[in-house]
């Protein structure tokens, strides 16, 4: 009898007529008798087993990237007068400028001084400024005033009463009295791009109203500049 096939698989037994007990699929007389469904299941099992054996290896690779040095930039507001060197170099550094001085002032007299605000850091910034009295201050309240100008050149006056001004400058604020608390002298912050300068002019005066008790008095001014990075 020829071999039978189920969906392309060789059957694993012969068709044999049987009756009575043991006629169902199974071993009988030492031979395997299976129905068509049994042979199909056996065939599927064989194919599945053969498919599981057919695996293949895959190659892999990894890579890493190391960058160059990362460094933080710096923001540095520096100050420079017309004839003196650069001051306030470095973060939070104070600077004393002896060139800005007004000895022997009398009521209504004024002295003018040019200086430059420098942005030598790695970021654009805006800045403002306040003024206050410092050191040994013996003038009466309101006796000394200051005024800042954008640009302008100090005029020279050697006659009495000395009244120097910032010729050609644009007033940033009106003259303000120097007190023991910080008084704003740049009410609107000024923008300064990195690696650029801003030319200012300062007028220091003794008010016309300064009374007689201010004779022989003394004091020192402190101008505080604050810069803030521009982030957008």
């Amino acid at each position: 009898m020829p071999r039978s096939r189920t969906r392309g698989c060789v059957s694993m037994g012969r068709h044999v007529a049987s009756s009575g007990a043991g006629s169902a699929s199974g071993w009988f007389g030492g031979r395997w008798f299976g129905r068509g469904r049994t042979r199909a299941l056996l065939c599927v099992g064989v194919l599945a087993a053969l498919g599981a054996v057919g695996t293949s290896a895959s190659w892999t690779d990894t890579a890493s990237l190391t960058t160059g040095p990362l460094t933080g930039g710096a923001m540095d507001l520096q100050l420079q007068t017309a004839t003196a060197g650069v001051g306030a170099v470095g973060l939070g550094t104070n600077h004393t400028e002896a060139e800005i001085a007004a000895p022997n002032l009398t009521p209504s007299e004024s002295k003018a001084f040019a200086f430059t605000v420098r942005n030598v850091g790695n970021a654009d910034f805006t800045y403002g400024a306040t003024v206050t009295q410092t050191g040994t201050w013996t003038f009466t309240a309101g006796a000394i005033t200051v005024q800042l100008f954008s640009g302008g050149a100090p005029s020279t006056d050697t006659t009495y009463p000395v009244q120097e001004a910032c010729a050609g400058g644009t007033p940033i604020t009106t003259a303000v009295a120097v007190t023991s608390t910080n008084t704003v002298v740049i009410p609107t912050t000024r923008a300064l791009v990195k690696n650029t300068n801003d030319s200012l002019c300062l007028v220091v005066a003794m008010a016309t109203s300064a009374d007689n008790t201010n004779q022989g008095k003394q004091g020192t001014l402190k101008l505080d500049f604050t810069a803030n990075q521009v982030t957008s």
Side-chain angles (χ1 to χ4, degrees):
M1 181 178 289
R3 296 177 182 271
S4 64
R5 297 177 180 272
T6 302
R7 297 182 182 179
C9 293
V10 178
S11 65
M12 302 187 70
R14 296 175 182 272
H15 291 287
V16 178
S18 61
S19 62
S23 62
S25 298
W27 285 96
F28 186 80
R31 292 182 298 173
W32 176 266
F33 293 92
R35 298 181 183 275
R37 180 178 296 177
T38 302
R39 292 194 301 272
L41 290 174
L42 289 172
C43 177
V44 172
V46 170
L47 291 177
L50 291 175
V53 173
T55 58
S56 62
S58 60
W59 291 2
T60 63
D61 185 22
T62 61
S64 62
L65 172 67
T66 301
T67 71
L70 306 179
T71 62
M75 193 174 72
D76 192 7
L77 182 153
Q78 298 180 359
L79 303 171
Q80 183 176 18
T81 56
T83 59
V86 177
V89 178
L91 186 64
T93 304
N94 295 326
H95 174 60
T96 299
E97 186 49 72
E99 184 178 339
I100 300 178
N104 303 320
L105 285 174
T106 61
S108 81
E109 287 194 310
S110 62
K111 294 283 291 183
F113 310 91
F115 67 98
T116 301
V117 177
R118 298 157 43 94
N119 180 352
V120 297
N122 305 113
D124 298 348
F125 65 61
T126 59
Y127 76 93
T130 61
V131 65
T132 186
Q133 66 191 47
T134 187
T136 302
W137 186 272
T138 56
F139 292 108
T140 60
I144 302 297
T145 66
V146 299
Q147 185 176 13
L148 272 180
F149 292 78
S150 174
S155 62
T156 301
D157 188 1
T158 58
T159 62
Y160 177 82
V162 174
Q163 292 182 332
E164 295 181 350
C166 293
T170 302
I172 295 175
T173 186
T174 58
V176 297
V178 179
T179 68
S180 59
T181 59
N182 289 321
T183 302
V184 174
V185 290
I186 299 181
T188 302
T189 57
R190 299 174 65 81
L192 196 54
V193 176
K194 62 182 179 179
N195 299 317
T196 60
N197 304 328
D198 193 14
S199 297
L200 301 180
C201 188
L202 172 68
V203 173
V204 180
M206 179 174 281
T208 303
S209 60
D211 62 29
N212 197 51
T213 61
N214 288 287
Q215 291 193 50
K217 303 304 182 179
Q218 64 179 355
T220 306
L221 300 177
K222 182 183 180 185
L223 289 164
D224 286 319
F225 292 83
T226 300
N228 291 288
Q229 177 194 355
V230 175
T231 58
S232 62

